Amino acid sequence: EDGPLLRDGLRALAPRAARAGREGARVGPYVLGPLIGEGGMGEVYRARDSRLDRDVAIKLLPADLAHDPERLRRAEREARVLASLNHPNIAALFGIEEGDGLTGLVLELVPGVTLHQHIAAHGPLTLDEALAIARQIAGALEAAHQHGIVHRDLKPANITITPDGLVKVLDFGLARIE
């Protein structure tokens, strides 16, 4: 019977359709563009800052987090601490915004490819490449640790290399603040 198969297929497509329907939604002064990443802690969209005329990334918080006052308070506290980090190898957190029933973290939009994508496209790193990248990652983690922040989800997919070779550590969503 086609009924259950069709129902399962529609159920699987529903989240994708909801994400596609978010393009154009407003979160504060930001207009959501295309989905650029997703993970367990939310979906990340390219967005346009209508006030400052720049592109940013907006990480939408999952509904259970955005609508639970205690979890939202904790997320805001963590966001304040992360926003205090000012390091060239850590993607900046600009703030938290709400709109159209959505809550999102406003982040620096980092151009480039993830370390995971780089390795997949070019193969293993040379020793010189690995050391240059490792030094920058270590600098970012040292700065975070000095502020009592432990990343807890460091992996090649959370490290971006810009076209000019600058490394940015991303996604402190699972960070622990000590």
Side-chain angles (χ1 to χ4, degrees):
E1 178 182 311
D2 290 337
L5 182 60
L6 180 60
R7 265 194 313 276
D8 290 347
L10 289 174
R11 230 177 275 138
L13 288 174
R16 185 175 295 159
R19 288 190 296 269
R22 290 196 176 123
E23 231 175 287
R26 292 189 73 85
V27 180
Y30 305 95
V31 179
L32 295 184
L35 179 72
I36 57 175
E38 60 185 312
M41 295 302 291
E43 302 163 352
V44 182
Y45 291 82
R46 180 182 205 100
R48 188 75 184 160
D49 182 337
S50 62
R51 283 190 201 142
L52 299 177
D53 197 30
R54 66 177 174 175
D55 287 335
V56 297
I58 301 245
K59 183 175 190 176
L60 294 180
L61 300 178
D64 63 330
L65 175 67
H67 300 296
D68 178 336
E70 177 56 33
R71 291 186 71 190
L72 188 55
R73 271 192 299 277
R74 190 171 71 212
E76 288 173 349
R77 177 179 135 326
E78 291 179 9
R80 276 193 298 278
V81 173
L82 292 173
S84 72
L85 290 177
N86 184 15
H87 192 276
N89 299 115
I90 297 175
L93 173 70
F94 299 138
I96 299 177
E97 289 288 341
E98 295 181 39
D100 282 354
L102 303 169
T103 301
L105 299 176
V106 182
L107 304 156
E108 173 185 3
L109 181 64
V110 180
V113 296
T114 67
L115 180 57
H116 176 79
Q117 292 167 329
H118 179 79
I119 292 169
H122 303 288
L125 300 173
T126 68
L127 180 59
D128 287 342
E129 288 174 318
L131 289 173
I133 291 168
R135 281 187 195 101
Q136 293 181 68
I137 295 168
L141 295 178
E142 179 182 28
H145 293 176
Q146 287 174 348
H147 283 83
I149 300 168
V150 178
H151 191 286
R152 296 194 323 170
D153 193 24
L154 191 64
K155 59 188 177 187
N158 287 338
I159 297 164
T160 293
I161 305 167
T162 68
D164 63 354
L166 182 66
V167 172
K168 292 275 190 170
V169 176
L170 311 172
D171 199 357
F172 279 79
L174 295 177
R176 186 179 75 235
I177 299 170
E178 299 177 336

